[in-house]
Amino acid sequence: MTLHRTYPPRLPIRPAEQPVDAIVRLPGSKSLTNRALVLAALADGTSVLEGALFSEDSWVMVDSLRRLGIPVDVDETAERMIVQGKGGTLPATRAELFVGNSGTTARFLTAMTALGHGEYLIDGVPRMRERPIQPLLDALAQLGVQTESLLGTGCPPVRVRSRGLAGGTIRLRGDISSQYLSALLMIGPCTRDGLRIELESPLVSVPYVEMTLAVMADFGAIATHERAQVFHVPGNQRYRSRTYAIEPDASAASYFFALAAATAGRIRVLNLGTRSRQGDVQFVDLLERMGCTVIREPDALTVVGKRPLRGIEADMNAISDTVPTLAALAPLAEGPVVIRNVQHIRYKETDRIAAVANELRRLGITVEEFPDGLRIEPGPVQPAVIRTYGDHRMAMSFAILGCAVPGLEIDDPGCVAKTFPDFFERLEAALGRR
């Protein structure tokens, strides 16, 4: 594994000298890369993933697939991964899988190992041992798979013992993470009888499930649903190997769109437009409501910032990964920014609601914290060292605020390696400093 970047323990952020004006190309989507890796591994034959993301989250997925007996060759320079699919089977009968702090890897592989014949252990970093996975374990248990949270916490480390998976009906919670549902949907075609998945509570982050269904279709499998509450996946389907192009990461793009807003500048992101399957492209809609101009094209999005920004109230359930991005812009608005319906982000890499509130208060900003969100009052920003809690999105979001106000330093900037190892270099380039 190579991530190339070494950052100091603390990184001062220099404000932009002038409004930004840049055209930006971004790395591949983490969400699409990890879904495509799973489906290519379950397909018949060799798949080539073009534009794949090389980050901690994708490397732990690649390593885990190899440990399961699925060959994956990589060419990081060409942003290419080549996967030798095994037709819905897992060659390894025993494997210990280290998933770091990658929620997609942990949840997707827990379900995927249920297709195997053997015993599998899934574990990660200390924070992963605090991230819930019990609803997925309960769902697999309904299908006859032996699953166990080894510490009895409902979190990893997890042990899965399986003798293959026939299929059946599952009742599943949808209000903690959409990744449980995505994990089950992806393995459904490889079962004998298929899956019927009934959600017991409203589904969070719906666009990510829509993404899963779209990528499944790209690899040749169908699934249907009724009102996003009952999902049907026919069994005995075969994923088809293919060459698959992965579009740039829309969550990563949110930081550069926010940079345009923060500096009253202009950013155009290439190869990410109205054709995107990623829900997080909707972040530009919020910037538009705040007063920015958005130019939408099939294969590009442009944001032109305008100061002062307007305060808004937003239900961000569908695009919750961009909550820290919007929150970091809030001090620059002329009215309060209210974020609601994102209680599930308390179970991410950190409790993102509490972390964002803590760091904004460190900057002298008045914040009211709700169980499901935040109310942020604009105001002068005082210098501070921003704690990141090991969360890549905290580091990148507050770096954008540091481009608009002086005196911000990012603690542990290297945590961006999780999804965007060269973020700070690309930020400097967008600011015209490289």
Side-chain angles (χ1 to χ4, degrees):
M1 180 177 81
T2 54
L3 295 176
H4 300 312
R5 306 297 182 272
T6 300
Y7 292 117
R10 288 182 179 175
L11 183 65
I13 304 297
R14 283 194 297 145
E17 291 85 11
Q18 59 190 10
V20 67
D21 186 3
I23 296 173
V24 176
R25 289 179 172 83
L26 295 174
S29 162
K30 179 262 291 189
S31 298
L32 286 171
T33 296
N34 272 3
R35 283 165 173 77
L37 279 167
V38 169
L39 299 186
L42 295 175
D44 292 306
T46 302
S47 293
V48 180
L49 310 184
E50 301 283 4
L53 174 68
F54 286 82
S55 71
E56 287 180 357
D57 276 20
S58 51
W59 276 116
V60 293
M61 177 66 86
V62 167
D63 178 69
S64 294
L65 292 177
R66 290 169 172 168
R67 290 172 182 268
L68 291 169
I70 298 164
V72 183
D73 295 321
V74 301
D75 183 341
E76 191 169 356
T77 302
E79 298 180 338
R80 180 181 299 120
M81 298 180 180
I82 302 172
V83 184
Q84 308 292 332
K86 296 299 180 180
T89 64
L90 301 184
T93 57
R94 299 182 70 89
E96 294 186 5
L97 310 178
F98 178 77
V99 300
N101 197 13
S102 174
T104 56
T105 306
R107 280 76 178 256
F108 294 175
L109 290 178
T110 297
M112 187 177 176
T113 54
L115 296 171
H117 289 75
E119 181 175 316
Y120 310 94
L121 179 70
I122 298 99
D123 198 5
V125 299
R127 174 58 183 171
M128 179 55 71
R129 292 186 169 197
E130 298 173 346
R131 299 182 68 179
I133 200 169
Q134 192 64 49
L136 180 56
L137 303 185
D138 293 342
L140 293 172
Q142 294 171 51
L143 300 175
V145 180
Q146 295 182 38
T147 63
E148 183 182 4
S149 167
L150 295 182
L151 301 179
T153 59
C155 304
V158 166
R159 182 166 56 213
V160 177
R161 292 191 179 104
S162 184
R163 295 192 294 266
L165 202 57
T169 298
I170 299 168
R171 294 186 63 81
L172 175 71
R173 289 183 63 177
D175 59 341
I176 297 177
S177 174
S178 66
Q179 291 171 0
Y180 307 146
L181 176 57
S182 286
L184 293 166
L185 289 170
M186 287 191 289
I187 65 170
C190 302
T191 65
R192 184 190 67 202
D193 302 329
L195 296 179
R196 174 185 169 91
I197 306 168
E198 302 172 357
L199 295 183
E200 298 179 311
S201 54
L203 181 63
V204 298
S205 302
V206 171
Y208 284 96
V209 174
E210 295 172 343
M211 177 195 298
T212 300
L213 295 172
V215 181
M216 289 171 61
D218 290 340
F219 279 85
I222 62 169
T224 61
H225 61 86
E226 304 166 15
R227 302 181 308 280
Q229 286 298 118
V230 180
F231 291 76
H232 304 269
V233 188
N236 277 325
Q237 300 186 67
R238 307 290 287 189
Y239 285 119
R240 296 191 299 268
S241 58
R242 55 165 297 169
T243 297
Y244 192 74
I246 294 169
E247 65 184 49
D249 195 297
S251 304
S254 76
Y255 310 116
F256 292 88
F257 295 137
L259 179 65
T263 67
R266 179 186 180 95
I267 288 284
R268 186 168 189 249
V269 174
L270 300 179
N271 303 317
L272 186 73
T274 56
R275 295 173 179 165
S276 173
R277 289 173 166 173
Q278 298 172 77
D280 282 356
V281 294
Q282 297 170 31
F283 182 73
V284 299
D285 300 343
L286 300 183
L287 296 181
E288 195 169 48
R289 288 174 55 197
M290 296 180 82
C292 299
T293 298
V294 178
I295 302 169
R296 298 171 175 86
E297 303 170 73
D299 295 307
L301 289 170
T302 303
V303 171
V304 182
K306 180 182 179 182
R307 297 282 297 273
L309 299 169
R310 291 194 292 265
I312 60 171
E313 181 167 350
D315 180 333
M316 296 187 70
N317 186 280
I319 57 170
S320 58
D321 276 349
T322 65
V323 166
T325 322
L326 183 65
L329 282 179
L332 306 177
E334 60 181 359
V337 170
V338 182
I339 298 168
R340 303 305 297 252
N341 200 19
V342 291
Q343 58 271 17
H344 58 286
I345 70 172
R346 293 189 181 275
Y347 305 106
K348 294 286 189 176
E349 284 80 347
T350 187
D351 177 342
R352 284 189 179 148
I353 294 176
V356 165
N358 289 342
E359 298 316 296
L360 286 172
R361 290 177 183 134
R362 186 185 302 279
L363 296 172
I365 301 300
T366 299
V367 182
E368 182 180 359
E369 181 179 339
F370 313 123
D372 73 332
L374 301 157
R375 178 187 175 91
I376 306 164
E377 300 288 343
V381 176
Q382 64 189 29
V385 176
I386 298 297
R387 295 177 300 186
T388 56
Y389 308 86
D391 187 338
H392 56 134
R393 302 210 184 279
M394 290 290 293
M396 292 185 280
S397 298
F398 280 89
I400 298 306
L401 179 58
C403 292
V405 298
L408 270 64
E409 294 183 63
I410 304 298
D411 188 47
D412 185 24
C415 67
V416 300
K418 186 175 191 298
T419 57
F420 201 161
D422 62 345
F423 167 76
F424 289 104
E425 286 89 343
R426 297 202 191 208
L427 178 60
E428 287 291 293
L431 291 166
R433 296 173 180 160
R434 293 177 67 88

